[in-house]
Amino acid sequence: MPYNAFDLATLKASLEKARLAGYLYQHQSSILVLQEPLTEDGSPLNIYLQHELTADQIGIQFGLRQQDGHWEYLLGITYSNQNAAYEIGAGNLKGDQKAFNLLYAFYNYPKAFYLVALPLSANTQTLEQALQQQLFNQPELQFLESAVKTNPMGEQVKWMKSYLLQQALDMKVRIQTALL
């Protein structure tokens, strides 16, 4: 069954049955946000990342939005740092960003919020491109380039970018599988 054949109630029921999150938050009539996402074994997913040297932080959430009869996969990304000079309150989120306000005020008030959207049926390459174009090229997120660790094979890996990509891909695949 193509994803666009699902209405919100059917989609929500399928995702709840698959236990992808502690609960699903419905925003208006078109968005579902997975609150307290779970790993495949049912344990809480680590949705917060912090750079070891700069203390810059990222929070990630997952959601779905029905737009023009098609389902989109959404990633809500919060960015924060220790600088208190500029902070955004949850009341300042605009449009569909408001669906993600339950996680919004974490650790510090965030400095920025990004909403990455792509078709739910998108492949891995499209997901990678969407993250690169809609997220990784943001000036505030340049610290992601210096979040580097050495993997067991001795290669330098941009671990925060890699983690975001892997979690986004894993959750997209788990959502798609739940809808089969």
Side-chain angles (χ1 to χ4, degrees), residues 44-130:
L45 178 68
N46 179 21
I47 56 173
Y48 299 111
L49 304 172
Q50 182 168 325
H51 194 288
E52 306 85 14
L53 304 175
T54 67
D56 287 290
Q57 303 151 1
I58 294 284
I60 185 172
Q61 281 185 285
F62 311 97
L64 296 166
R65 171 176 60 194
Q66 190 174 41
Q67 188 155 328
D68 300 325
H70 300 292
W71 283 100
E72 291 181 317
Y73 179 55
L74 303 175
L75 300 169
I77 308 291
T78 52
Y79 162 65
S80 186
N81 61 28
Q82 300 297 319
N83 181 357
Y86 175 71
E87 295 177 341
I88 303 171
N92 292 324
L93 294 174
K94 295 175 178 58
D96 289 343
Q97 292 178 344
K98 291 182 180 186
F100 294 88
N101 70 359
L102 298 176
L103 174 71
Y104 193 65
F106 74 94
Y107 206 76
N108 301 315
Y109 282 102
K111 310 303 189 247
F113 181 85
Y114 306 96
L115 190 58
V116 177
L118 64 149
L120 180 57
S121 60
N123 62 23
T124 302
Q125 183 179 11
T126 303
L127 175 62
E128 289 177 18
Q129 290 171 346

